[in-house]
Amino acid sequence: MTPPSSSRDRLRFGANYVPSAGWFYSWLDHSADAVRRDFADLAGIGLDHVRVFPIWPWIQPNRTLIRQKGIDDLLGLIDVAAEFDLAVSVDLLQGHLSSFDFLPSWVLTWHRRSVFEDGAVRDGIAAYVDRLTREVATRENVFAVTLGNEVNNLWPANPTTPEASTRWAAELVEVARAAAPHLLTLHSLYDATWYDPAHPFVPADATDLGSLTTVHSWVFNGVSALDGPLGPATVTHADYLVELAAAASPDPARPVWLQEVGAPRPDIGAEDAPAFVRGMLEAVTANPALWGVTWWCSHDLDRALADFPEREYDLGLFTVDHEIKPETQELAKIIVELRADRRAAPERPALVCDVDPRTQPERRAEVAPGSAFHRAWVRLRASGPVAIVSADRAADSAYLAARGITTVLHPA
């Protein structure tokens, strides 16, 4: 099969794979048949890729030990995906998953040291990244590796500074790229990177490192409190975050992958979820920077498992019993519609932003949800697609043309 390319000839639609049986603990007792049934669900609604999450400490339990059995289970899962014509993106460091952190014992207890700042730990991680990337690159349906799932959630338990976190990610991106130059190499961060001025992972990490920019859009970050489950700020937040990332990139052609988006309860009630899915996708798929959309997540979390935040249990496209949800049916309809009639990139106005989060991370709060700038953008977005342009590029005609910007507007 041919994995998705990094060109923007078609939108990609996929799911972050959460096993229906046993959550990620299922890696401890890997079953190809269980994976096969889950992937049949996903292929059946028209998805073309999955993002998968091997658990780092179970593959590298000691700094100098990488278990081949753990790697073989991952390769087996990738092979099952190929049976369903699903391309695969592999996250390397887990790291953080659904409020739980999975870290090897060699960075904890008597060995406590920061995964971002300790040189010996970085050497161990680099060996892991190199080995795992080389192994998964042997499979033709693998198209990308990501350093880890929202690795900035490992702070503040693991101390770091903006300089250290950038250096850490840059080094590991280069390790992965050298191991498999043909794969997309990515760095994944949750949205405090974009909105929190005190956060030590900065927007430049997202826009400058790796093959493309990834963003994770979650309306429980405060957006849904602005106007409810189907309000304009809530429904357009994914588009806003994609656009903010596109505007911050030094390269006007750099794509943005909406790598996580979902309909979390109670912010989006079950009765509103289908309408949210349609509204959110109609807004974000109009953005010419968008590379693809990957839903969080594939399957619900079994309520027999304890101690997860309540919203984590019902995020799946399917229940643990493989029942399809109404919002999933809506997603499947939209995928068919968009693939049959790919929208041309719109020419659109741009709202000038006095803050460049990439070069002024200390001012990130000024573009956060609920800020004056965000509210102005939401008002304009009600009339159609709206770009964002930083003040220092508002008069650059070549840049504006490259992003399809026709008119420059200033906030009232």
Side-chain angles (χ1 to χ4, degrees), residues 69-327:
K69 177 60 167 62
I71 293 173
D72 290 343
D73 287 344
L74 172 59
L75 295 177
L77 180 145
I78 293 168
D79 291 342
V80 172
E83 296 175 19
F84 295 93
D85 205 31
L86 291 168
V88 178
S89 175
V90 178
D91 270 44
L92 301 174
L93 295 173
Q94 273 58 251
H96 176 83
L97 289 167
S98 301
S99 84
F100 285 94
D101 291 346
F102 290 85
L103 296 175
S105 58
W106 46 274
V107 302
L108 298 171
T109 58
W110 293 352
H111 304 275
R112 184 169 296 280
R113 44 196 171 174
S114 172
V115 299
F116 304 116
E117 293 187 327
D118 186 273
V121 172
R122 286 206 309 274
D123 289 345
I125 294 173
Y128 172 83
V129 167
D130 177 75
R131 173 78 175 276
L132 209 60
T133 301
R134 290 181 188 278
E135 293 273 6
V136 302
T138 63
R139 297 318 200 247
E140 293 184 1
N141 59 322
V142 171
F143 70 94
V145 292
T146 301
L147 293 188
N149 181 52
E150 298 185 346
V151 293
N152 49 336
N153 263 310
L154 299 178
W155 175 85
N158 289 269
T160 192
T161 63
E163 296 75 20
S165 60
T166 298
R167 183 170 58 251
W168 177 89
E171 289 174 359
L172 294 177
V173 163
E174 288 308 311
V175 169
R177 181 178 286 134
H182 66 289
L183 298 183
L184 299 178
T185 307
L186 311 170
H187 184 32
S188 164
L189 302 165
Y190 82 96
D191 65 12
T193 294
W194 293 99
Y195 298 146
D196 181 355
H199 199 71
F201 290 76
V202 294
D205 295 345
T207 61
D208 296 18
L209 301 177
S211 307
L212 49 78
T213 301
T214 67
V215 294
H216 295 185
S217 173
W218 289 106
V219 298
F220 54 70
N221 65 1
V223 173
S224 63
L226 298 176
D227 57 13
L230 298 179
T234 303
V235 171
T236 64
H237 180 255
D239 186 39
Y240 178 72
L241 191 53
V242 168
E243 185 55 38
L244 193 65
S249 174
D251 177 5
R254 183 174 168 97
V256 182
W257 179 2
L258 181 56
Q259 197 181 43
E260 285 187 22
V261 67
R265 313 285 192 266
D267 306 78
I268 311 295
E271 68 282 2
D272 292 320
F276 170 78
V277 168
R278 179 163 288 276
M280 181 274 296
L281 286 175
E282 286 182 346
V284 75
T285 57
N287 196 310
L290 184 69
W291 183 91
V293 178
T294 309
W295 193 262
W296 188 281
C297 54
S298 66
H299 294 80
D300 283 347
L301 175 58
D302 192 334
R303 287 185 174 274
L305 295 174
D307 300 328
F308 290 83
E310 176 60 28
R311 64 166 49 98
E312 296 288 345
Y313 286 98
D314 298 309
L315 289 170
L317 293 169
F318 294 85
T319 70
V320 293
D321 296 320
H322 304 275
E323 294 179 0
I324 193 170
K325 297 182 178 180
E327 57 262 43

Side-chain angles (χ1 to χ4, degrees), residues 324-339:
I324 193 170
K325 297 182 178 180
E327 57 262 43
T328 309
Q329 294 171 327
E330 194 68 17
L331 172 64
K333 292 177 186 176
I334 296 167
I335 291 172
V336 171
E337 293 167 10
L338 290 173
R339 286 182 176 158

Side-chain angles (χ1 to χ4, degrees), residues 5-66:
S5 69
S6 59
S7 66
R8 287 178 285 173
D9 55 345
R10 65 189 289 264
L11 286 175
R12 292 90 185 162
F13 292 93
N16 293 278
Y17 178 46
V18 172
S20 63
W23 193 63
F24 295 107
Y25 306 125
S26 60
W27 284 111
L28 294 168
D29 189 20
H30 178 67
S31 166
D33 288 339
V35 173
R36 194 168 282 113
R37 185 171 182 186
D38 289 346
F39 285 176
D41 290 341
L42 303 181
I45 60 170
L47 301 186
D48 56 51
H49 70 272
V50 289
R51 179 174 167 230
V52 303
F53 305 89
I55 306 299
W56 171 30
W58 300 340
I59 299 179
Q60 190 183 25
N62 183 274
R63 188 163 60 89
T64 58
L65 172 63
I66 297 175

